[in-house]
Amino acid sequence: MRPKHLSIASAALLAASGASAQAQQPPTRWAAPPPPPLDVGSDNAPPGRPASTLESASLYVSSAAYGLGMGVWIDSELGLDDPAFLLIPPTLLGVALPVTAYAFNHPTMPRGLPGAIASGLVIGAGEGLGIASLQMVTSEQPWGFHGLSRAVALGSTVGGVAGLAVGELQRPSPNISVFAASGVFWGAAVGSAVGLGVSPAGVGFESSNDWMARGGLIGFNAGLAITMGLSTVFVPTLAQLKWMWIGGAVGGVASLPVYLFYVGDDSPPAKRGLVYSATATTVGIVVGGVFGPMLGGGIGLSDEPSRWASIDYFTPVPLDGGFGFNLGGTLF
């Protein structure tokens, strides 16, 4: 019987020792869950990801347009008027520049770079066009076509270099580049409408077009500033951009009945209605961007839904004396 008691005592001692050792060991913790993937939606892709085919195509198209514009500027500078020679610079540059862009894009550039360059070329050309247009309708010594082509060539070149710098340093989402290019177009259209709408009554277009040119240039730069400012906190999806365009068009069309109120000899000039059309277009752009994606792609358009925030993982986590949950997600 004594050995049996010794065995029981030994077992009890070993059990007590094991329990004490277990109590002294730190509690086991689960490893932290992996971070959410970087490629959340279409606007937060991993750094260094190659540009899409569509983004690369935008670079080729804008390069071709830039080449044609530079060829026209060379024609103007050289004073060419014979068609046999006049068409050579635009033809050569219109083909050479997109081919050069294609060569530089193999291997494919990182995502965001081609779109930034393309948008820079377009925005720069628009800036030059706006400045030259304002000069020609307000100055007693207008630049003419020579000055216009020079301003567009210079503006697009500066814009392309700026786009290259931004693309290399920031790698912005291609959606931001499209947003900026869309913003300057919307701003120029709205600003031109407001400028012409508030011009003095009783004067012809030749006397009020300076108001339109001035409003268009102000709107162009305001659209660029607003879209770039919004892009610091918000990256629109392609669905939102599509619905912004749709909303702007719907707003402009919906405003057309306002011109019926200007029928009659005693009514104000009908061009005042342009102010309302510009307002309705702006409201349509905003409403389309905010609420359009809720309707889905629509009219053959599709993209990921609008996303301000998302939950990427939700896992239990053991804690001392209990357990909790680990929640992670993406904002904007």
Side-chain angles (χ1 to χ4, degrees):
M1 297 296 293
R2 186 174 183 180
K4 184 176 182 181
H5 288 298
L6 288 175
S7 299
I8 294 175
S10 300
L13 180 60
L14 291 174
S17 300
S20 176
Q22 184 176 5
Q24 294 176 0
Q25 292 179 354
T28 302
R29 295 185 179 274
W30 291 1
L38 291 175
D39 193 5
V40 179
S42 59
D43 306 318
N44 192 18
R49 172 181 169 184
S52 66
T53 302
L54 181 60
E55 184 182 359
S56 298
S58 70
L59 175 62
Y60 304 149
V61 173
S62 61
S63 298
Y66 176 67
L68 291 173
M70 294 299 290
V72 172
W73 167 64
I74 291 175
D75 286 340
S76 177
E77 293 289 347
L78 297 179
L80 301 178
D81 55 5
D82 189 324
F85 301 100
L86 183 71
L87 297 176
I88 291 177
T91 301
L92 292 179
L93 293 178
V95 174
L97 290 186
V99 170
T100 303
Y102 180 83
F104 274 98
N105 198 36
H106 284 74
T108 306
M109 296 180 184
R111 179 179 184 267
L113 180 56
I117 298 174
S119 294
L121 291 172
V122 173
I123 293 172
E127 188 75 51
L129 178 62
I131 293 174
S133 298
L134 180 61
Q135 194 278 338
M136 288 193 294
V137 298
T138 57
S139 176
E140 296 181 356
Q141 296 180 342
W143 289 344
F145 182 76
H146 186 188
L148 175 65
S149 62
R150 180 181 294 175
V152 172
L154 179 61
S156 59
T157 301
V158 173
V161 172
L164 175 62
V166 172
E168 286 286 0
L169 296 175
Q170 299 293 329
R171 293 287 192 269
S173 166
N175 294 9
I176 293 179
S177 299
V178 178
F179 192 30
S182 300
V184 297
F185 181 88
W186 297 330
V190 170
S192 297
V194 172
L196 183 59
V198 300
S199 62
V203 297
F205 181 76
E206 292 183 356
S207 300
S208 57
N209 58 3
D210 55 336
W211 288 74
M212 183 177 69
R214 189 175 294 108
L217 184 59
I218 294 173
F220 182 97
N221 289 280
L224 178 61
I226 291 172
T227 52
M228 288 292 91
L230 288 175
S231 296
T232 61
V233 295
F234 164 66
V235 179
T237 64
L238 290 179
Q240 284 174 309
L241 291 170
K242 295 169 185 176
W243 278 107
M244 286 179 186
W245 279 95
I246 294 173
V250 171
V253 172
S255 70
L256 293 180
V258 70
Y259 297 98
L260 297 176
F261 294 97
Y262 293 96
V263 176
D265 296 335
D266 298 331
S267 61
K271 63 183 178 181
R272 296 287 185 263
L274 290 171
V275 178
Y276 178 72
S277 295
T279 303
T281 299
T282 304
V283 172
I285 293 171
V286 175
V287 172
V290 174
F291 298 105
M294 297 180 183
L295 305 177
I299 317 179
L301 304 177
S302 62
D303 194 6
E304 296 190 11
S306 174
R307 182 188 300 243
W308 287 83
S310 64
I311 297 176
D312 298 320
Y313 58 86
F314 182 78
T315 58
V317 177
L319 302 173
D320 293 337
F323 68 95
F325 294 95
N326 194 353
L327 177 67
T330 303
L331 183 64
F332 301 120

